[in-house]
Amino acid sequence: LLNNGDFNTSTCGGNAFGAGCVANWAASDGTPTLAGYPLNPYAWMWSYNGNGEAISANFNFVAGTTYNISFRIKTDDKNTGCKIVAQYAKVNLVATNTPGNVTSNPGAVGEIIFQDGFPPYLNTWTTVTVSYLATVNSNFLWIFPFMQQSDNTCQAELSVDDICIEEAVVISEIGAYCCEGENLVTNGNFEYGNTGFLSAYTNSAATYPGEYDVVSSASAFGATVMDH
């Protein structure tokens, strides 16, 4: 669902995000780099001393929708082996309406999709898959590294590529228990109550959701059984 999640639709490298060369993407802080252009482009950003670089993409996250999001990342410490990157640097993917400068508190301006330290991805491209349930509507995907500390020798460096966003297939347990997979018949187990048909019965907390019983008394359904 994300347009140009692999950065292949780009017309220049280097300061491409700031120059408007990367379709659907923009720089939201600093001068992030489109490295590997044109053969294998990927985004590259740095952070130290509370400063850094960030990118954002147009994407409409809809409240109440669950998304499966996958991406590849690689982290580095400017090849210095300094300890503060391993201890303090963070990778951030955020759903927001206001992408901007890098921050230690992205949750204050959006919903955190993914946040983790640098060590698991150090100098190795790693595929990450996460599930994200949007609770508010957001218009942007915002990505950046962040490190508040600095020892004047190293910086936190983040590479990211192949970002894919899909809507998760949510299968109702009530609606699917008659099938091994997804039930393609809408309301086939009456899991949505009196929807798509007419009935004198009404759903009640006194009965199991989605279950209609043939009994001699229908008081639990708010109806009266007549001889007919």
Side-chain angles (χ1 to χ4, degrees):
L1 298 175
L2 176 65
N3 180 27
N4 200 25
D6 56 9
F7 307 111
N8 284 338
T9 307
S10 306
T11 57
C12 71
N15 184 26
F17 296 97
C21 293
V22 189
N24 196 49
W25 291 86
S28 66
D29 191 8
T31 55
T33 300
L34 185 68
Y37 177 85
L39 297 179
N40 184 27
Y42 60 91
W44 183 92
M45 294 158 278
W46 61 263
S47 177
Y48 70 90
N49 200 30
N51 300 309
E53 298 173 331
I55 58 175
S56 64
N58 298 292
F59 189 85
N60 293 323
F61 292 101
V62 178
T65 303
T66 299
Y67 299 91
N68 291 330
I69 303 175
S70 65
F71 49 92
R72 295 195 306 127
I73 57 174
K74 180 176 69 170
T75 61
D76 198 359
D77 55 10
K78 206 175 180 180
N79 295 321
T80 62
C82 67
K83 295 181 179 180
I84 62 171
V85 170
Q87 291 175 331
Y88 301 111
K90 298 289 185 183
V91 181
N92 298 278
L93 274 74
V94 183
T96 183
N97 289 312
T98 54
N101 295 340
V102 300
T103 174
S104 62
N105 188 21
V109 291
E111 292 194 326
I112 296 175
I113 297 172
F114 175 82
Q115 186 179 69
D116 198 8
F118 267 43
Y121 322 101
L122 187 62
N123 293 320
T124 302
W125 280 105
T126 304
T127 299
V128 178
T129 301
V130 297
S131 179
Y132 161 61
L133 171 60
T135 63
V136 297
N137 295 329
S138 301
N139 294 323
F140 296 95
L141 172 64
W142 183 29
I143 304 174
F144 61 93
F146 186 83
M147 186 173 71
Q148 185 68 57
Q149 294 72 19
S150 174
D151 64 359
N152 297 318
T153 63
C154 64
Q155 63 187 15
E157 299 176 345
L158 171 66
S159 300
V160 60
D161 198 4
D162 297 329
I163 307 157
C164 179
I165 303 178
E166 298 176 324
E167 284 192 23
V169 177
V170 180
I171 301 175
S172 168
E173 292 182 2
I174 297 173
Y177 68 79
C178 68
C179 310
E180 291 184 0
E182 180 182 3
N183 189 354
L184 299 179
V185 178
T186 301
N187 205 28
N189 287 307
F190 312 113
E191 63 269 26
Y192 302 119
N194 298 346
T195 301
F197 67 95
L198 298 176
S199 174
Y201 297 99
T202 58
N203 280 341
S204 167
T207 61
Y208 187 80
E211 183 177 352
Y212 284 74
D213 294 327
V214 178
V215 296
S216 59
S217 173
S219 59
F221 296 94
T224 300
V225 174
M226 304 294 291
D227 185 15
H228 58 284

